[in-house]
Amino acid sequence: MDMPNIAIVTSFLGWCSIINIGILLISTLSIIIMKERITALHNKLFGVKQTNLLSTYFQYLACYKLATIILNIVPYIALKIIV
């Protein structure tokens, strides 16, 4: 089996970046717009206090953003630079 072409890997990472940024934006907007509804739902499901949920949401968004940057955007930019 042939190794993937650098252009294909670059394109793949570009689309992964776009999809992950979209998910991050939707998640962020959902938490901002429907904060009370979402916290009430998660409070009922998991029994976590609403004040703790807000910090948990922030931590989730921060980790997702870092993972997207480190695993998708940085390799995409590096491949764009070397090609």
Side-chain angles (χ1 to χ4, degrees):
M1 206 169 213
D2 293 330
M3 289 188 54
N5 188 347
I6 290 180
I8 294 171
V9 175
T10 304
S11 178
F12 173 76
L13 287 171
W15 280 109
C16 286
S17 299
I18 290 169
I19 292 168
N20 280 313
I21 290 169
I23 292 171
L24 182 63
L25 287 174
I26 290 169
S27 298
T28 303
L29 290 174
S30 297
I31 291 172
I32 290 171
I33 293 170
M34 300 183 297
K35 179 171 52 175
E36 286 80 23
R37 239 187 245 174
I38 292 173
T39 54
L41 175 68
H42 289 147
N43 185 11
K44 287 179 186 176
L45 287 174
F46 305 114
V48 180
K49 293 181 182 179
Q50 289 186 353
T51 54
N52 293 344
L53 282 172
L54 295 177
S55 64
T56 302
Y57 296 151
F58 180 75
Q59 186 178 15
Y60 155 74
L61 292 172
C63 289
Y64 197 89
K65 180 175 64 172
L66 280 173
T68 300
I69 291 169
I70 293 169
L71 298 174
N72 295 142
I73 297 172
V74 170
Y76 173 77
I77 292 171
L79 286 172
K80 281 299 216 182
I81 290 171
I82 65 169
V83 171

